[in-house]
Amino acid sequence: MTKSIGTNFPFELKQAGLAGLPFSWTHDGELMFDEAMTPGQIAAVQAVYTDHDPTATPEISAIEQIRAIEAAPNVQDAMARALRRDLLTRAFAFAKARAVSKGYDWTDVQVHAWAMANDKDYKTLREAEDAIKPLRG
């Protein structure tokens, strides 16, 4: 039987020295562990969950609460994905503006092809996004 997970859970994990391990959870109490975690690490996280009181509130500052929430692997992944997409959008817009400033009336496909061939950062971000996308399922 699962129980919900309250706002204090990330801080309890941090206190137990388990913050940053590759696992995530849902608010309704489902724990999902990466295959890289050892049985001892999984047992330690499950012990924190067993002792967790979902109604408890954190007794730490707001900035510490924000840092703990941002340290959760699922939040880090979402932030990295958003940053990658934002950077790709900006890089694409920059490449398109460069083409227009040089008098080219390129389609988005042409701009993408030019950026892949001439902009190392754009190419790196695009390849990372293309490799990660199918892994999300």
Side-chain angles (χ1 to χ4, degrees), residues 45-60:
V45 170
Q46 290 172 329
V48 171
Y49 173 71
T50 299
D51 293 339
H52 174 64
D53 175 4
T55 63
T57 55
E59 296 179 13
I60 60 174

Side-chain angles (χ1 to χ4, degrees), residues 94-106 111 114:
F94 180 74
K96 189 153 191 163
R98 270 198 319 209
V100 168
S101 75
K102 294 181 184 270
Y104 299 116
D105 185 24
W106 286 352
V111 171
W114 181 90

Side-chain angles (χ1 to χ4, degrees), residues 82-97 119 122 125:
L83 179 59
R84 256 192 328 277
R85 287 182 179 159
D86 180 59
L87 290 172
L88 271 170
T89 300
R90 289 173 188 244
F92 184 85
F94 180 74
K96 189 153 191 163
D119 187 328
Y122 179 87
L125 286 167

Side-chain angles (χ1 to χ4, degrees), residues 2-6 24-30 32 49 52 54 74:
T2 61
K3 62 181 170 188
S4 65
I5 292 181
S24 60
W25 60 86
T26 63
H27 72 280
D28 60 351
E30 180 183 358
M32 296 158 284
Y49 173 71
H52 174 64
N74 56 334

